[in-house]
Amino acid sequence: MNVFTVKMTLLTAVVLKEDAAQVKKKLLSLGLVDFTEIEASSSASLTHAERDRRIEQVESLLQQVESLYRQIERSLPILSQGDIDRESVIDLDSAVDFLERLNRSLASLRDEQKKVTTDITRYSELSGYLKASKHEYLDLHIGRIGKESYESLEARLASHSHVLLKSETSDVHLLLTLSRERPGVNPVLDAFSWSESVGSHTTEEAHRLLMAETSRLIEQKKSENQKIIANIRETIGEKVEKIETIYREARVYQLLGYISGHFSSTRNTTIFSGWIPSEKSGTFEEELKKVTNNACVIEYTDEKQFDRSTIPVALDDLKPLKPFQSLVKNYSTPQYGTINPTIFVAISYLVMFGLMFADTGQGIIILLVGLIGTKRNRDSSLLPLLIYLGISSIISGLLFGSFFGFELIPPLWFNYHEAVYAHGETLWDVYRILGLTLKFGIVVIYVGIILNWINLVKRKKWLHLVFDRNGIIGAFLFAIGIYFSYGFIQSGYTQFPSATWLTVSVLVSVILLYFRVPLEHFLEKKGGPFLFDSITEWLLTVFEIFTGFLSNTLSFMRVAGLGIAHVALMATFRELSALPGNAVGAVLVLVAGNILVIGLEGLSAAIQSLRLNYYEFFTKFFVGDGKEYRPINLKTNSDGLRHREHTV
C-alpha cells in the first residue's frame, strides 16, 4: 500500500471531430478522467461546447425514475459496458409520455395514501394525549344528535381531528376532538342540534371506550395504507422493465453530456483535459489511440507545476481497509502529495478499541453482527468496521482473559480483572494499566510527529520542520517532558530529575523557537515590521508545546478508564445475577447486562477511539484541504455530477 496519495498527471488530448462521439464513450468506459476546464490563455481560438438543453429533461426523468425505484424499494440498476455500446439513444418524448401516463395512474392511489396518512397522524395525536392523560388538549362530548344522521355528522367532521363512537345500546354518541379545533367543531355540533347527555357515561369510561376506538382506527388506517402501498408497488412493478430501460439510456446520455460539456473544439478537432492517476496514463493512451486509430495527440503536464490544493486527491483503494479509509475521508481529504493515514488509523483504532473493550465473548457477538449485516447490506461502510472491532475485541480478550465478563480463559498477557480488583497484590494493577495507555499515547503522538516531518519534507517546508510545535524542536521538548515525568514518577513523586544539560537544552530550544518568524521574513522577503508577530508567535508556540503535549498525552488515559469501566460493569452484572436466586433469572440478568455493555460501552469505545485519532493523532500531521478525485464513470450518480457543477 502506498502511504502517500496517488501520483496524478494532467493530460490534454486532441482528437479529430469525427472521432469525438466514440472518444466520449471510451472515456466513460475507462472512467479515469477527472475533467478540468481548459485555461483561457490556451483556448482563445477554441469553441466551448454549449450545455445540451435536453440534459435538463433527462435529469428530470432520472429524478422521477429514482423516485419510482424508492417506492418499490429496489436498488437502481448498475450500468455496464453494454449500456455504452448500445447504439440506441433515449427517445425523450416517448419516455416523458410513458412516465406521465404512469404517474397519472398512480395519482389517485397517492391521493388516497395522503388522506390515509393524514388520518393516521390525527388519530395518533388524539391517542397520544389520551395515553398521557393530557385531557386539557382534548374536548369530550357525550350526547345525542337532534338532526340528520350519525353518518352525516361523521362526514361533516371529516376535516377535523376527531373520533366519533356510536353506542350499540342507545342513541348516545361519544365524540373526541382537539381543543384547538373548537371554533370549527362547535358550529357543526350546533347545526346537528347536538345535546349533551349528562350521566350516561362517566368521563373515565368514555375515555376508555374512545381509546379503544382510536387504537382500532389507527390499525385500520395502517392496514389501508399497506394495501395502497402494495397497489402502488404492483402498478410500478408491472412497468419496471420499461422503467429500467429509460433509466439506463437516460443515465448514459447524462454522463456523456457531462463529458461533452468539457470538450472544446476547433474547425476539425476536439480538445479536452483532465487529471488521471499517473500509473494509468499508459493504459489510457493505449485505449485512446485504439479508438482513434492513432489520430490523436496527448500531452502530459507534471503535477509539480500546479499548486497542491488544485490537484485532485486519490487514495489507494484497498478493499480490506475501506472502513478506515471512510473514517479518514469523514475527517477530511488529505492534501495532494501528503501522507495517506489509512493504515496508521487502522492500527491505532483497533489497538485502542481492544484496550477499551477486551472481551472475547462480546467480540464474537460484534463479529457475527458485522458478518451478517455485511452480507445483507454490502454497501455499508459501518458494518465491515464491526468485523474488525469484533476481531480486535476477541484478541484483546484472549490477552487479558475475559469471556463475557468471566475469567474463563487463561490470559496470554495479564489478567485484567485481577489487575483492577487486586489492589497492588499482583504485578499488574490499575496504575500500571494507566501507565500502559500513556506509553501507547506517547507512541501514537510520536508517530504523528514523524509523519508530520515527512509531510513537511515533501512540501519543502523547512522552517516548519524545525521550528513548529510538531517540528524537530517541539518533538525534542516533548522528549524532555517525558524524561522529567518519568524521573518524577521513579522518585516516588517527590522530585524532578536535575541536570545542567536539561536546563540548558530547554532554554536553548525555547530561544530557538523565537527565530521562526524573523527567518520567514528574511527568506520570503516580506516587508514591514515583524517584532510583534515574532513575540506573539513565539509565546503561542511555547505555550502550545508545554500545555498541548501534556493534554494530548493525558487524553489517552481515557483508554485505560474505559477498559477499567468495562471490567467493573461486567463484575457488577455478575453480582446482580446472584440476586434472583435461580438459574433462569441469573442468565437473564447476564444476557441483559452483556447486551447493555455491547450496545452502550461498545459504542463509547468506538467513539473514543475515533476521537483520539482525530484530535490527538491527526492534529500532529494531517493537512486536510485536499480536493477529492472524482472521475466520470458508470458509477457516477446525479448527485456526483451536481457536486462537480457546483464546485466549478
Side-chain angles (χ1 to χ4, degrees):
M1 176 186 176
N2 186 4
V3 296
F4 296 100
T5 60
V6 175
K7 183 177 173 60
M8 305 294 289
T9 298
L10 181 70
L11 68 86
T12 303
V14 181
V15 299
L16 294 175
K17 231 175 189 179
E18 61 195 56
D19 293 329
Q22 292 303 316
V23 168
K24 293 171 192 174
K25 290 185 177 181
K26 178 55 66 175
L27 293 177
L28 180 57
S29 176
L30 291 172
L32 293 174
V33 183
D34 187 344
F35 291 93
T36 62
E37 300 295 326
I38 297 176
E39 294 181 8
S41 60
S42 62
S43 60
S45 61
L46 296 178
T47 301
H48 295 281
E50 295 183 2
R51 179 177 171 84
D52 186 349
R53 295 177 182 177
R54 289 157 53 94
I55 286 292
E56 292 182 2
Q57 277 185 289
V58 168
E59 290 176 344
S60 176
L61 283 179
L62 287 170
Q63 289 176 5
Q64 293 179 59
V65 170
E66 289 167 7
S67 173
L68 293 171
Y69 270 94
R70 284 194 296 270
Q71 291 176 68
I72 60 176
E73 296 183 342
R74 285 195 192 181
S75 299
L76 289 168
I78 299 173
L79 298 184
S80 65
Q81 183 62 39
D83 295 308
I84 300 176
D85 297 336
R86 194 178 295 114
E87 294 298 329
S88 61
V89 179
I90 185 169
D91 184 342
L92 277 177
D93 293 335
S94 173
V96 168
D97 180 65
F98 170 80
L99 290 178
E100 284 181 351
R101 284 187 281 108
L102 178 59
N103 283 320
R104 279 197 299 270
S105 66
L106 294 172
S108 59
L109 289 171
R110 287 170 177 158
D111 289 341
E112 188 179 349
Q113 185 182 31
K114 183 178 179 181
K115 181 180 180 302
V116 170
T117 303
T118 300
D119 289 341
I120 292 174
T121 302
R122 288 174 172 175
Y123 292 141
S124 296
E125 185 178 13
L126 291 169
S127 176
Y129 288 141
L130 282 172
K131 288 179 179 178
S133 298
K134 295 182 177 180
H135 300 143
E136 64 271 20
Y137 296 106
L138 303 170
D139 280 349
L140 174 63
H141 299 277
I142 305 173
R144 296 180 173 84
I145 303 172
K147 296 180 180 179
E148 299 189 49
S149 64
Y150 169 89
E151 289 74 17
S152 299
L153 176 60
E154 179 72 63
R156 286 287 298 277
L157 290 171
S159 61
H160 301 283
S161 297
H162 76 284
V163 175
L164 181 61
L165 182 61
K166 184 178 182 180
S167 174
E168 297 179 357
T169 57
S170 67
D171 58 350
V172 175
H173 304 310
L174 303 178
L175 174 63
L176 186 70
T177 62
L178 293 172
S179 299
R180 66 170 183 267
E181 296 192 8
R182 194 175 298 158
V185 172
N186 285 348
V188 175
L189 296 180
D190 292 340
F192 279 75
S193 300
W194 178 279
S195 60
E196 298 290 334
S197 178
V198 180
S200 60
H201 291 79
T202 64
T203 301
E204 291 76 11
E205 182 185 11
H207 282 157
R208 179 178 56 78
L209 293 171
L210 288 166
M211 183 71 243
E213 178 65 7
T214 304
S215 299
R216 185 189 70 80
L217 289 170
I218 290 174
E219 292 304 315
Q220 176 185 316
K221 293 297 178 182
K222 285 182 177 179
S223 177
E224 291 177 13
N225 189 49
Q226 289 301 315
K227 290 179 181 177
I228 295 170
I229 291 173
N231 289 336
I232 290 174
R233 288 177 178 171
E234 183 179 356
T235 303
I236 297 172
E238 292 172 353
K239 309 290 185 181
V240 74
E241 189 173 329
K242 175 65 175 177
I243 295 171
E244 180 176 331
T245 301
I246 291 174
Y247 173 81
R248 291 181 181 277
E249 292 178 349
R251 175 67 77 215
V252 170
Y253 189 94
Q254 181 195 32
L255 294 171
L256 291 175
Y258 181 84
I259 293 174
S260 297
H262 286 82
F263 276 34
S264 299
S265 60
T266 63
R267 183 177 179 180
N268 298 312
T269 63
T270 296
I271 183 171
F272 61 91
S273 182
W275 291 94
I276 65 170
S278 298
E279 61 184 17
K280 302 288 186 180
S281 59
T283 301
F284 177 86
E285 185 170 339
E286 181 182 340
E287 292 294 328
L288 192 62
K289 286 181 176 179
K290 188 184 299 182
V291 79
T292 61
N293 292 319
N294 290 321
C296 64
V297 177
I298 304 174
E299 179 182 294
Y300 298 102
T301 306
D302 192 85
E303 36 90 21
K304 293 179 181 178
Q305 299 184 34
F306 297 90
D307 187 297
R308 288 172 178 268
S309 62
T310 65
I311 304 174
V313 176
L315 304 178
D316 275 341
D317 192 14
L318 293 179
K319 192 172 181 180
L321 295 178
K322 189 175 180 180
F324 304 100
Q325 191 163 295
S326 297
L327 296 181
V328 173
K329 288 183 176 180
N330 185 59
Y331 184 79
S332 186
T333 302
Q335 188 185 79
Y336 178 77
T338 60
I339 294 286
N340 171 13
T342 302
I343 185 65
F344 303 102
V345 169
I347 295 170
S348 63
Y349 190 89
L350 294 177
V351 171
M352 282 188 272
F353 184 84
L355 290 172
M356 288 188 274
F357 202 82
D359 192 291
T360 298
Q362 293 169 354
I364 292 172
I365 299 298
I366 296 173
L367 175 62
L368 290 175
V369 171
L371 289 171
I372 295 170
T374 303
K375 188 175 181 180
R376 294 183 177 180
N377 184 4
R378 297 185 181 276
D379 296 329
S380 173
S381 60
L382 175 62
L383 293 171
L385 182 61
L386 292 180
I387 296 175
Y388 284 98
L389 296 182
I391 294 172
S392 172
S393 187
I394 290 171
I395 293 173
S396 56
L398 293 173
L399 290 174
F400 303 132
S402 182
F403 190 86
F404 288 116
F406 290 92
E407 304 163 52
L408 300 179
I409 50 180
L412 299 178
W413 189 0
F414 67 87
N415 190 311
Y416 214 131
H417 298 267
E418 287 186 2
V420 172
Y421 287 102
H423 304 294
E425 297 174 7
T426 62
L427 179 63
W428 282 87
D429 58 15
V430 168
Y431 296 104
R432 292 201 66 178
I433 293 172
L434 288 170
L436 173 67
T437 56
L438 288 176
K439 291 172 185 174
F440 173 73
I442 291 170
V443 171
V444 171
I445 291 171
Y446 263 111
V447 169
I449 291 172
I450 293 170
L451 295 181
N452 181 57
W453 295 352
I454 296 171
N455 278 341
L456 292 172
V457 170
K458 291 275 289 184
R459 297 163 65 199
K460 298 182 179 179
K461 299 277 188 178
W462 308 115
L463 284 178
H464 293 273
L465 174 63
V466 177
F467 295 101
D468 265 8
R469 170 196 166 185
N470 298 317
I472 294 172
I473 294 177
F476 177 73
L477 288 172
F478 182 37
I480 294 294
I482 295 170
Y483 179 79
F484 264 75
S485 301
Y486 180 77
F488 182 62
I489 294 170
Q490 290 298 106
S491 70
Y493 304 97
T494 57
Q495 62 180 11
F496 289 102
S498 59
T500 304
W501 70 269
L502 287 174
T503 306
V504 172
S505 298
V506 172
L507 288 175
V508 170
S509 299
V510 169
I511 292 170
L512 285 174
L513 289 171
Y514 170 79
F515 291 97
R516 196 196 79 181
V517 174
L519 286 171
E520 278 184 348
H521 276 257
F522 174 75
L523 295 174
E524 298 176 15
K525 298 180 181 179
K526 295 181 180 179
F530 57 83
L531 181 61
F532 180 76
D533 288 346
S534 300
I535 295 174
T536 304
E537 287 279 345
W538 176 58
L539 291 174
L540 285 174
T541 302
V542 172
F543 179 78
E544 287 180 353
I545 289 174
F546 281 92
T547 62
F549 281 124
L550 176 63
S551 63
N552 293 154
T553 306
L554 294 179
S555 188
F556 282 88
M557 291 178 67
R558 71 188 67 221
V559 175
L562 278 176
I564 294 167
H566 181 265
V567 171
L569 277 172
M570 293 314 303
T572 300
F573 281 112
R574 285 207 313 270
E575 294 179 6
L576 289 175
S577 66
L579 296 179
N582 58 76
V584 175
V587 170
L588 290 175
V589 170
L590 288 173
V591 169
N594 274 278
I595 292 173
L596 185 66
V597 168
I598 292 172
L600 295 181
E601 201 200 338
L603 178 63
S604 179
I607 291 173
Q608 290 302 327
S609 298
L610 189 61
R611 183 226 176 266
L612 287 167
N613 270 289
Y614 282 173
Y615 295 105
E616 316 303 345
F617 183 46
F618 278 23
T619 53
K620 301 295 174 291
F621 71 95
F622 196 91
V623 183
D625 58 356
K627 172 188 172 186
E628 188 176 353
Y629 169 59
R630 294 173 178 269
I632 299 300
N633 53 42
L634 292 174
K635 295 181 181 179
T636 305
N637 56 28
S638 297
D639 290 338
L641 293 180
R642 283 192 287 270
H643 174 85
R644 288 171 175 81
E645 291 174 357
H646 176 74
T647 302
V648 172

